[in-house]
Amino acid sequence: MSKEWPLWEVFTRSKAGMHHRHAGSLRAPDAEMALQNARDVYTRRGEGVSIWVVKSVDITASDPDDKGMLFDPSDDKIYRHPTFYDIPDEVGHM
Amino acid sequence: MNKDQHVEFLLRLGDNSLVLGHRLSEWCGHAPVLEEDIAMTNVALDLIGQARMLYSHAGEIEGKGRDEDAIAYLRDVLDWRNCLLVEQPNGDFADTMARQFLFDVWNFEVFSALTKSSDEQLAAIAAKALKEISYHRRHSGDWVIRLGDGTEESRAKMIAALDRVWGFTDELFQMDDVDKAALAAGIGVDLEALRPAWESHVGAVLAEAGLEKPSVTWSVKGGRTKGHHSEHLGFLLAELQFMQRAYPNSNW
């Protein structure tokens, strides 16, 4: 068994933030301790902050080698992007 | 309650915070893991912040021109009014967490009560500090459980740690004339009345950790009320106050 504590990825949402952003990673023996550590390291205890922690091994990342296959096809089909609509001014930014 | 008693009452609280904050600062860079290093220095900073507010308030009430620095750096051992528990050496990580936990649970009860103090400034300080102390109590309690319910070695160390500091907890519930005057004035706290809540919380955590309440029969008092300290405080103050003693009245 590895003596090293598992790695956790930390996502935080600031008080006025709309969604959680990846803040960084840290090592902790379990989720509860990871939360406490994340609070100390990444939020400085700013109030009204939400924290998510997830074990790094539970994250499946896309393979950089698949970049072309995954992301290029949408680039050359402009009809995939809803950019042809006239949006009334009163709707504002979308 | 006269002014001297009021000041004394505030200094007792401030001294607890500063001495324990100093002890925790000694861990900086030496904790078992990086994250715990940050957590312990965080708690130290909370405690030192509390001491500053309490000292400033005490200095204003006293009205003799002493500020937080004068109170922290220009008093010798016999003038300090912290409880004996907080001045005990860090020892190993279990020793530090045992000391921290027993104090945090008490401190939480004290500051909960102080939020209703008739000294409005103190009540405001307590309201701010209570958020921090709630976190301290959870953090140290978690470690008592983890170590007590961990490996055979960590369990043995936590048992030994609790045995070492348990005898200093009686002092926390002792009421002398200053405490009684503060209570009568609506400023202070009935420390004796806090005991059931303290025992209940400590007992619940020990049970979760699979630990027995220590069967220690000795108890020592006198730090809070008389300034009769263990041999450790003098060394702590020598380090804490060195710069001010060597270069008095410098601006920093």
Side-chain angles (χ1 to χ4, degrees), chain A residues 5 27 33 36-37 40-41 44, chain B residues 21 23-45 93 96-97 135 139 143:
Chain A
W5 286 355
R27 290 190 182 276
M33 200 57 96
Q36 288 190 22
N37 291 338
D40 286 337
V41 178
R44 303 283 167 195
Chain B
R23 278 287 183 236
L24 288 175
S25 77
E26 295 170 355
W27 271 102
C28 187
H30 299 274
V33 290
L34 178 65
E35 286 80 2
E36 193 51 36
D37 208 86
I38 293 167
M40 278 201 282
T41 41
N42 226 325
V43 175
L45 290 172
F93 187 64
T96 292
M97 284 301 131
Y135 176 79
H139 179 255
W143 275 111

Side-chain angles (χ1 to χ4, degrees), chain A residues 11 27 32 35-36 41 45 52 59 62 65 86 91:
Chain A
F11 299 82
R27 290 190 182 276
E32 177 57 31
L35 266 184
Q36 288 190 22
V41 178
R45 288 169 298 152
W52 290 345
I59 292 178
S62 58
D65 290 345
D86 290 325
V91 173

